[in-house]
Amino acid sequence: MVLRIVLGAVYTAMAVGQLASFGHMPGILAAYGLVDGAAATASAVALIVGELVSGVWFLARPRSRTVAPVWVFTAVSVMWTFLAAQAYARGLTVTNCGCFGVYLSQRLSWLVLAQDALTLLYAGLLLRGARRAPAAPAPGALSGRGTAQDETAARAGSPPGVEKSGP
């Protein structure tokens, strides 16, 4: 739960910073050498929307078992990591990674790659936790009718949770 709150705060702050400097985001993404023009704008929109969806969801519902925001977080993390890793491997000079738009800018370096690797690690932990989430309670338990065992005991004339022994 704490991880979701921290990641929610970070991704929401990233989205807010990028929204506040939206006019610069296509240029920032173009510096990574993969997209420009309309594709850079579309990529900026996709990243911002993904950050907002996962960030706000993690903040509003940190105990949620819903897997969709975890997958959105993972997709955004993979996209940022891929952009950074390929630019770094090609030796491109990226003066602003764009994580927070024009705010808190940092040049592309091993530190940014390490931060991206951490988001992938966190995504893996969130996905693993979502996979291990307990199954939903039985329908009878949610409706107030009780469990099948309680219904069987009621038909047999004994109090719920107590089974009769013998005939």
Side-chain angles (χ1 to χ4, degrees), residues 18-79:
Q18 292 168 12
L19 274 173
S21 55
F22 186 77
H24 298 279
M25 285 305 295
I28 291 171
L29 292 176
Y32 285 97
L34 290 181
V35 294
D36 61 0
T41 303
S43 297
V45 169
L47 285 168
I48 293 168
V49 168
E51 290 162 357
L52 273 176
V53 166
S54 60
V56 170
W57 189 281
F58 288 167
L59 288 174
R61 301 188 48 122
R63 293 177 189 225
S64 171
R65 301 271 186 224
T66 305
V67 182
V70 175
W71 280 111
V72 172
F73 173 85
T74 302
V76 170
S77 297
V78 166
M79 190 167 173

Side-chain angles (χ1 to χ4, degrees), residues 6 8 12 23 27 37 61 75 78 91-92 100 112 118 148-149 155 165:
V6 170
T12 301
R61 301 188 48 122
V78 166
L92 297 179
F100 295 91
V112 172
L118 277 176
Q149 179 184 4
R155 282 192 299 267
S165 60

Side-chain angles (χ1 to χ4, degrees), residues 4 9 14 23 25 34 50 60 66 69-70 78 80 88 97-98 102 121-122 138 143-144 153 155-157:
R4 284 176 174 250
M14 287 171 62
M25 285 305 295
L34 290 181
T66 305
V70 175
V78 166
W80 276 119
Y88 191 81
C97 70
V102 296
L121 173 68
Y122 298 149
S143 67
R155 282 192 299 267

